[in-house]
Amino acid sequence: MQIQLSRPPDRRPPYWLPLTTILAVILFISLMLWFEKPPEARKIDAPATEFSAERAMAHVERIAQEHTRWGPLPMRKSGLIWWNR
């Protein structure tokens, strides 16, 4: 009499599971990056309730002309202030 040994059950996940998981992660990251695109820059004629890049740039240029903690910017560029170069 011969005893037939049964094979232990296969406990490995199906072959398609890692591939599906990787594809799902790639799809998820791609969609996140797609929807995180910044909005298009609006012109100065945009309504006052919406952000306008041109209006913001006018504020940035005005702020850039103000004095800094070490003095006015032209003095630093001329070499009269020798620190913080």
Side-chain angles (χ1 to χ4, degrees):
M1 180 163 183
Q2 188 176 9
I3 300 177
Q4 224 175 8
L5 297 175
S6 63
R7 217 172 101 193
D10 194 10
R11 302 228 184 256
R12 291 184 312 163
Y15 70 92
W16 51 266
L17 189 61
L19 180 64
T20 305
T21 305
I22 291 171
L23 289 176
V25 168
I26 290 172
L27 177 66
F28 179 73
I29 291 172
S30 300
L31 287 174
M32 280 181 39
L33 292 174
W34 177 263
F35 287 115
E36 286 295 319
K37 290 190 308 184
E40 292 183 18
R42 304 247 180 189
K43 299 287 184 190
I44 200 155
D45 59 350
T49 57
E50 294 183 16
F51 178 78
S52 167
E54 289 185 23
R55 284 195 301 254
M57 196 60 192
H59 292 287
V60 170
E61 288 172 354
R62 189 190 73 222
I63 291 170
Q65 293 174 356
E66 294 177 1
H67 291 278
T68 63
R69 183 168 52 165
W70 297 278
L73 189 59
M75 284 181 63
R76 282 198 296 176
K77 285 197 172 188
S78 67
L80 295 174
I81 298 176
W82 52 271
W83 65 87
N84 193 26
R85 287 187 182 201

